[in-house]
Amino acid sequence: MATVLNASEVSAPSCTGTLSREPISAAEAERLATMMKALADPARLRLLSIVAASEGGEACVCDLIEPVGLSQPTVSHHLKVLTAAGFLSRSKRGTWAYFSLVPGSLERVAEVFAAGGR
């Protein structure tokens, strides 16, 4: 016959795990979520890749339309999202806009999950 124990007689294992480093704050989590949402689109990832691979580390919007196969307004929208998320910087020369990677922006996303991050 099985013995039935009351809840007070059963000791649950305690969860005493300790953190090995400081976790990100709620504000940082919000900021990183915005950044990751910007990256969660294949066209935006391609645009970042093209800009990063471009000579001098910058690309004109006019050179980004054909490689991704999207219309100019759609490419401009994606570039705006990437700029707002902090991945790209924008400079205007005449009628054209040029985009370049913000130094360290991609590394910041990666370091949150690295063993030695933060």
Side-chain angles (χ1 to χ4, degrees), residues 74-112:
T74 301
V75 169
S76 291
H77 166 75
H78 287 307
L79 292 169
K80 182 178 179 180
V81 170
L82 290 167
T83 301
F87 291 110
L88 296 177
S89 62
R90 180 182 184 271
S91 63
K92 187 123 167 129
R93 294 186 210 145
T95 59
W96 294 110
Y98 287 79
F99 293 86
S100 57
L101 280 176
V102 171
S105 59
L106 294 172
E107 289 81 4
R108 179 63 193 120
V109 174
E111 79 181 19
V112 169

